[in-house]
Amino acid sequence: MDMRWLSCSRPLLGVCTFFFLATAAFLGHVLLHNLAVVPRKLHGFSQVPKETYRAHQQRASGPGPQSCPGTASTQCNVPPNSRFDCAPDRAITQEQCEARGCCYMPVGWPRGSQMGQPWCFFPPSYPSYMLGNLTPTDMGYTASLTRTTPTFFPKDILTLRLDVLLETESRLHFTIKDPKSRRYEVPLETPRVHSQAPSTLYSMEFSEEPFGVVVRRKLDGRVLLNTTVAPLFFADQFLQLSTSLPSQHVTGLAEHLGPLMLNTSWTKITLWNRDIAPTPNVNLYGSHPFYMVLEDSGLAHGVFLLNSNAMDVVLQPSPALSWRSTGGILDVYVFLGPDPKSVVQQYLDIVGYPFMPPYWGLGFHLCRWGYSSTAIIRQVVENMTKANFPLDVQWNDLDYMDARRDFTFNKDGFGDLPAMVQELHQGGRRYVMIVDPAISSSGPAGSYRPYDEGLRRGVFITNETGQPLIGKVWPGSTAFPDFTNPKALDWWQDMVAEFHAQVPFDGMWIDMNEPSNFVKGSLDGCPNGNLENPPYLPGVVGGTLQAATICASSHQFLSTHYDLHNLYGLTEALASHRALVKARGTRPFIISRSTFSGHGQFAGHWTGDVWSSWDQLSSSIPEILLFNLLGVPLVGADICGFQGNTSEELCVRWTQLGAFYPFMRNHNDLHSLPQEPYRFSEMAQRAMRKALTLRYTLLPLLYTLFHSAHTRGDTVARPLFLEFPLDPRTWTVDRQLLWGEALLITPVLEAGKVEVTGYFPAGIWYNLQAVPVQPLGSLPPQLPAPLKFAIHSEGQWVTLPAPLDTINLHLRAGHIIPMQGTGLTTTESRKQPMALAVALTLSGEARGELFWDDGESLGVLERGAYTQVIFLAGNNTIVNEMVHVTSEGASLQLKKVTILGVASAPQQVLSNGVPVPNFTYSPNTQTLDIPVSLMMGQQFLISWS
């Protein structure tokens, strides 16, 4: 680990340098052992952007703080893109700006920017904290930070403690706290490391005054984090930490609607979970304060601020980023990668790897707000079956409830709901229903057990009088469970178990858990205090923290709602996960609207109340990709859209794309036209059926990818840049997606199009249309002339035919994917024989994997109740290697192997040494199709010559 100490920010630089070098030499020998102590002016900034470096020099040699920097033009000579806002809290006049000790220069609004450049900005000499008492520890370093001049925010904390932890080779962790008073910290369980890493991919430098941290990548000296670019703020309700960025290619900071790569031209992202239909430039349902930067060299790093308070994150073109939080502490992780895939895994090492969904959860789900009786649902299921559409999970929105109250069902349309769910089970299907967190409080005592029991146990969020805060949601007056309270976890578990004893449901859809509230704060309003009216208000929709939710000042077990609001969905997901394990004894299935970092450990996510529009179809791809990068791979958008009426063409194209969402559900609104697949023309139905058949055929691949996500922190759906970080043309691609490493999906996202252009990274990409989607089927007729069977790409854009019945799928050379015969449910499809699609490289090699278990049991890895097989191709042979085999999966039949990229017709094909007489070879597509009769769980060798 290398560390440099940057100092000397006063005049008399030569004297300072001499004194500093002498002191540093002594400290380096006696205290800091192997730390490189270098005077700030002399070394170590070759990679810092020029304007940042210039600011350093001005700060090092310029005058001290001044009351009116407008008189010192050199202090205000900061390039516009490098200006940091000195009036983040409100619009102020020049006089007010200069009274803050800041520079005032009006500028025009940059074209294409969400927000303007700051008119009032910090001069380089603006007072900040000073570093002192830097001391080595077992884990890294500790130091004190002191500020002598208060800021313009109330309740500055003038003395802070810095702890730097060199946790692993690729992970740096530092915290800035109040050493005298314990402040709220996010109650997320993170890894504890007890000794510092013996070697690291990063080096550190500290600036003494003004305090700052500089983190470099040792490999190339690139500065990844440089907090000296703007002053540090740490007041009671305003914390700001700014850093330069080494590149403008930044992703993360969910949840927002927009491209995968963020715009660094004056963009503000607000994190305060909110019930609002997906709209650009507003705070949406979830908060994930993590970003990843793709560096110009193809390397990548990530930064995670573990802070759950309301915050803004501001991006500016220098490029730079500022975190502005309204509370908590600064708890920062830096992940060195060095590649994007490693950054994701290192982030998930902190927040947790995704849960393993049940196999049936990867099938097709169907819902509608407006299924108002069991008779209607039975008819829907029958219609799906008659039309030969797969359906694994039938859902209910609010319609099933009695007076829209949780853990009830109405006796009019749903009197026989338990019997209907049993019928679904008998047909190999599952049932999931909506559960909102808000509990009806309006009935007389003794009339509604969840509320009565919750009151008795004291599980609800309370107001300033200590009584349950009462808001208004679907059932009317409601109280809100406090899922940070252990008593509430037990109460929720009991309510889930009691309802499951009546209605044997299979999963939970937890909605409205931002938490949403139809009144502002509560029915009685909110106290007029600093928690409701903080000195800094992030850019929240509605202009107040209590808009569409409960009072920020309300009390929870761990802290105030002001601190815990963004964790509400996460804590409900944890409570529901725990309850389902207890009630069902099998793998939980939960889909949640509100999320926070770490959500993927417990639940999946759907992207909320999207409109039936082409824009929202295309914007669903970056959202699905982003949540995979954030460790929530079980994610999808409402297919065909939730709000508004879909068109037939839109619904077909959305079903095609939705077949490759990790979570696939068609759901729409009570006020919109029904959009079940069987509602459309026969031509549209054929196209949708083809898409669903593709998904069900590929479910073994999808399940294996989820196993890799669960055990290794991989993504399931992933952006191209994750596999091809050295190709800058992949970095902004967010209208295509990959399944794992192997399968490239290029959907049509515009109306009236019968072709689509996609980017193909360098390599060979085989058109999966030439592979029989039914493993026992025969090869389709020869492909149409314009359709290329294989794309030999050097890294280029390719235009592909895409008639209405087609979504383009390409299999990457070097990979083997498992496939399976289909059925109308996964209960059926899991019994079907399997096939392998083998995509050879020019050297004739490929590799693949299959993970298989019973699809729903808990603890299969711990008990060894699974089968895992590796497939290898090379030298005209295909073999399987048994990683682990048990009875579950050992008897899977392999009936067909399709090999892509066989240059010439084989004379002979052998399966375990026995000639296969009825193989077929297509010279046009260079495809070898081999019927076999093998077992996946027994070693085999297939060869051709």
Side-chain angles (χ1 to χ4, degrees):
M1 166 63 200
D2 295 332
M3 190 277 293
R4 299 174 188 240
W5 191 356
L6 305 164
S7 187
C8 287
S9 57
R10 290 285 181 265
L12 303 175
L13 191 59
V15 175
C16 176
T17 300
F18 174 80
F19 175 77
F20 183 85
L21 283 171
T23 306
F26 175 74
L27 287 175
H29 179 70
V30 177
L31 293 175
L32 303 184
H33 307 289
N34 65 335
L35 303 182
V37 185
V38 180
R40 160 180 203 185
K41 182 180 179 234
L42 299 182
H43 299 291
F45 274 89
S46 60
Q47 295 294 323
V48 179
K50 290 181 180 177
E51 53 267 28
T52 307
Y53 181 80
R54 194 177 302 121
H56 273 298
Q57 298 296 71
Q58 290 172 351
R59 211 174 299 148
S61 57
Q66 57 218 345
S67 61
C68 184
T71 61
S73 60
T74 56
Q75 278 295 301
C76 294
N77 188 22
V78 179
N81 287 342
S82 298
R83 295 173 183 172
F84 290 84
D85 195 355
C86 185
D89 50 331
R90 58 192 174 93
I92 61 178
T93 65
Q94 180 171 353
E95 183 181 12
Q96 291 168 327
C97 173
E98 292 178 350
R100 289 183 172 189
C102 291
C103 302
Y104 189 86
M105 289 187 183
V107 289
W109 194 288
R111 182 175 296 176
S113 297
Q114 175 198 339
M115 54 188 287
Q117 297 172 358
W119 289 19
C120 181
F121 56 93
F122 297 111
S125 62
Y126 190 90
S128 184
Y129 287 85
M130 184 173 82
L131 178 79
N133 301 319
L134 183 66
T135 307
T137 67
D138 290 343
M139 282 301 303
Y141 314 101
T142 186
S144 63
L145 307 177
T146 54
R147 171 185 278 282
T148 56
T149 308
T151 70
F152 45 86
F153 280 103
K155 300 183 182 178
D156 280 296
I157 298 170
L158 297 177
T159 301
L160 301 170
R161 175 188 170 106
L162 168 71
D163 286 292
V164 178
L165 311 174
L166 317 179
E167 293 191 337
T168 71
E169 178 188 48
S170 56
R171 185 173 81 227
L172 170 68
H173 180 198
F174 67 89
T175 61
I176 299 175
K177 305 181 183 181
D178 180 352
K180 298 177 183 175
S181 177
R182 182 169 177 81
R183 293 171 60 82
Y184 164 75
E185 298 182 28
V186 179
L188 191 69
E189 188 175 337
T190 56
R192 290 287 178 261
V193 181
H194 302 292
S195 62
Q196 67 173 275
S199 64
T200 62
L201 300 177
Y202 48 88
S203 64
M204 285 192 72
E205 302 160 9
F206 295 104
S207 168
E208 181 183 11
E209 185 178 11
F211 162 71
V213 173
V214 177
V215 179
R216 295 178 184 273
R217 187 186 296 285
K218 283 184 179 177
L219 179 67
D220 55 8
R222 186 180 299 272
V223 172
L224 308 182
L225 194 79
N226 176 9
T227 72
T228 69
V229 295
L232 168 68
F233 278 65
F234 203 118
D236 184 43
Q237 289 183 269
F238 182 77
L239 288 68
Q240 177 166 291
L241 183 70
S242 300
T243 178
S244 64
L245 299 170
S247 160
Q248 303 219 0
H249 300 284
V250 185
T251 187
L253 303 175
E255 184 172 10
H256 56 265
L257 185 69
L260 184 59
M261 286 294 159
L262 296 165
N263 182 0
T264 57
S265 181
W266 301 110
T267 297
K268 180 164 68 178
I269 296 161
T270 301
L271 302 184
W272 181 252
N273 295 355
R274 174 63 146 84
D275 173 2
I276 188 170
T279 308
N281 303 323
V282 302
N283 50 303
L284 297 181
Y285 310 111
S287 293
H288 297 258
F290 163 80
Y291 69 81
M292 183 196 299
V293 179
L294 301 183
E295 302 159 30
D296 294 340
S297 57
L299 304 178
H301 72 277
V303 175
F304 175 40
L305 175 62
L306 181 51
N307 183 296
S308 64
N309 288 83
M311 73 171 73
D312 283 331
V313 189
V314 177
L315 293 158
Q316 61 191 73
S318 44
L321 177 146
S322 295
W323 303 98
R324 297 177 187 161
S325 176
T326 57
I329 66 167
L330 294 173
D331 189 351
V332 180
Y333 290 87
V334 185
F335 309 109
L336 269 285
D339 57 273
K341 200 178 289 188
S342 299
V343 172
V344 172
Q345 291 167 335
Q346 290 155 15
Y347 170 62
L348 297 189
D349 285 339
I350 299 300
V351 303
Y353 285 8
F355 81 106
M356 184 69 183
Y359 198 97
W360 56 262
L362 306 184
F364 181 62
H365 301 245
L366 184 60
C367 188
R368 173 173 163 80
W369 183 15
Y371 289 155
S372 55
S373 70
T374 56
I376 289 175
I377 293 173
R378 286 185 173 99
Q379 188 62 55
V380 167
V381 174
E382 182 181 339
N383 292 346
M384 289 289 287
T385 303
K386 284 181 178 177
N388 206 32
F389 283 110
L391 173 62
D392 256 278
V393 192
Q394 182 60 53
W395 291 46
N396 259 131
D397 207 315
L398 295 167
D399 309 275
Y400 78 95
M401 295 180 179
D402 179 20
R404 296 180 168 179
R405 297 178 302 173
D406 282 350
F407 309 117
T408 66
F409 60 96
N410 74 68
K411 300 305 186 284
D412 296 329
F414 287 87
D416 62 345
L417 179 60
M420 186 202 79
V421 174
Q422 293 286 12
E423 291 167 24
L424 288 170
H425 290 166
Q426 290 162 10
R429 296 185 171 91
R430 268 75 177 187
Y431 178 73
V432 169
M433 78 284 166
I434 197 169
V435 181
D436 292 337
I439 298 296
S440 174
S441 61
S442 57
S447 65
Y448 180 47
R449 176 168 161 75
Y451 183 65
D452 295 335
E453 189 66 11
L455 269 184
R456 187 182 72 80
R457 299 197 204 182
V459 305
F460 296 117
I461 294 174
T462 57
N463 59 23
E464 72 276 16
T465 70
Q467 297 301 307
L469 179 143
I470 303 300
K472 183 179 181 182
V473 195
W474 293 115
S477 300
T478 51
F480 297 83
D482 174 11
F483 293 108
T484 70
N485 187 338
K487 293 180 182 177
L489 297 183
D490 292 338
W491 163 81
W492 190 253
Q493 180 175 290
D494 291 345
M495 296 305 102
V496 168
E498 290 174 18
F499 190 63
H500 188 266
Q502 300 176 66
V503 180
F505 60 88
D506 300 284
M508 294 173 68
W509 170 21
I510 52 177
D511 190 12
M512 306 290 286
N513 53 349
E514 291 72 32
S516 179
N517 187 1
F518 295 165
V519 297
K520 188 185 290 187
S522 82
L523 289 175
D524 299 319
C526 301
N528 187 23
N530 59 356
L531 295 184
E532 302 297 339
N533 303 290
Y536 177 76
L537 179 67
V540 296
V541 176
T544 172
L545 294 182
Q546 60 195 239
T549 191
I550 63 177
C551 300
S553 58
S554 56
H555 298 280
Q556 297 190 230
F557 179 77
L558 287 182
S559 189
T560 60
H561 193 70
Y562 179 87
D563 294 324
L564 295 167
H565 171 86
N566 281 343
L567 302 181
Y568 197 84
L570 172 65
T571 55
E572 189 195 10
L574 185 156
S576 301
H577 188 100
R578 178 178 182 264
L580 280 177
V581 168
K582 183 74 172 178
R584 299 186 70 250
T586 57
R587 229 174 281 165
F589 179 86
I590 300 159
I591 296 294
S592 172
R593 191 169 72 181
S594 182
T595 64
F596 186 78
S597 300
H599 181 88
Q601 290 184 84
F602 310 109
H605 171 61
W606 99 104
T607 62
D609 298 343
V610 297
W611 284 91
S612 296
S613 73
W614 291 93
D615 280 347
Q616 299 239 310
L617 166 65
S618 61
S619 66
S620 71
I621 299 179
E623 180 128 23
I624 268 69
L625 296 176
L626 181 53
F627 270 87
N628 271 265
L629 296 177
L630 297 170
V632 189
L634 189 67
V635 59
D638 283 343
I639 289 169
C640 305
F642 173 74
Q643 299 190 80
N645 296 325
T646 189
S647 68
E648 179 167 285
E649 183 190 10
L650 175 61
C651 202
V652 167
R653 292 306 193 187
W654 210 321
T655 303
Q656 289 170 342
L657 173 59
F660 295 93
Y661 292 158
F663 166 57
M664 184 185 190
R665 181 183 72 162
N666 178 322
H667 174 48
N668 80 322
D669 182 24
L670 173 69
H671 308 292
S672 305
L673 294 174
Q675 59 191 33
E676 298 90 352
Y678 58 77
R679 298 277 184 179
F680 299 96
S681 72
E682 184 53 42
M683 179 182 69
Q685 288 189 47
R686 280 197 305 270
M688 293 180 183
R689 203 174 291 115
K690 181 178 175 182
L692 282 159
T693 299
L694 280 169
R695 181 183 182 86
Y696 273 69
T697 300
L698 294 166
L699 283 181
L701 167 65
L702 184 59
Y703 194 64
T704 301
L705 291 173
F706 268 99
H707 168 71
S708 296
H710 176 60
T711 57
R712 300 197 289 259
D714 287 340
T715 52
V716 174
R718 64 187 63 162
L720 273 66
F721 74 71
L722 215 65
E723 287 300 318
F724 302 95
L726 297 177
D727 181 353
R729 287 164 293 194
T730 66
W731 296 357
T732 58
V733 174
D734 60 7
R735 293 168 68 88
Q736 295 168 273
L737 64 155
L738 289 161
W739 264 16
E741 301 175 349
L743 196 61
L744 178 61
I745 299 111
T746 308
V748 172
L749 303 172
E750 297 173 69
K753 300 291 186 183
V754 291
E755 61 181 24
V756 62
T757 300
Y759 185 74
F760 285 77
I764 305 172
W765 298 87
Y766 296 99
N767 194 323
L768 212 60
Q769 289 184 62
V771 178
V773 293
Q774 290 280 12
L776 292 178
S778 60
L779 279 171
Q782 185 173 335
L783 294 170
L787 193 59
K788 294 181 179 177
F789 169 64
I791 294 172
H792 295 255
S793 177
E794 296 179 358
Q796 63 205 62
W797 294 90
V798 179
T799 298
L800 308 163
L804 187 63
D805 70 343
T806 297
I807 181 169
N808 277 278
L809 303 179
H810 287 83
L811 182 57
R812 182 181 173 192
H815 295 272
I816 300 173
I817 60 171
M819 304 188 297
Q820 191 169 30
T822 62
L824 295 184
T825 65
T826 54
T827 305
E828 292 178 24
S829 69
R830 283 174 55 86
K831 300 172 185 175
Q832 302 304 312
M834 302 195 82
L836 296 176
V838 181
L840 299 178
T841 61
L842 290 176
S843 59
E845 297 175 341
R847 186 183 189 280
E849 184 180 1
L850 172 69
F851 175 83
W852 195 265
D853 59 15
D854 70 4
E856 65 176 4
S857 289
L858 294 163
V860 295
L861 298 178
E862 294 78 4
R863 292 184 287 107
Y866 65 92
T867 290
Q868 191 170 5
V869 183
I870 302 293
F871 308 106
L872 297 169
N875 298 317
N876 290 0
T877 63
I878 299 170
V879 298
N880 62 342
E881 290 184 357
M882 305 297 145
V883 177
H884 187 86
V885 179
T886 57
S887 57
E888 192 62 58
S891 59
L892 283 169
Q893 294 179 296
L894 177 62
K895 288 293 188 181
K896 179 168 288 191
V897 177
T898 300
I899 307 167
L900 312 171
V902 179
S904 58
Q907 301 302 306
Q908 185 182 49
V909 174
L910 302 177
S911 174
N912 284 341
V914 178
V916 179
N918 54 340
F919 70 87
T920 57
Y921 177 76
S922 168
N924 293 333
T925 61
Q926 296 190 337
T927 302
L928 175 61
D929 194 52
I930 307 172
V932 294
S933 184
L934 301 169
M935 308 298 282
M936 282 291 200
Q938 297 176 10
Q939 196 144 24
F940 61 73
L941 186 151
I942 300 166
S943 61
W944 62 97
S945 59

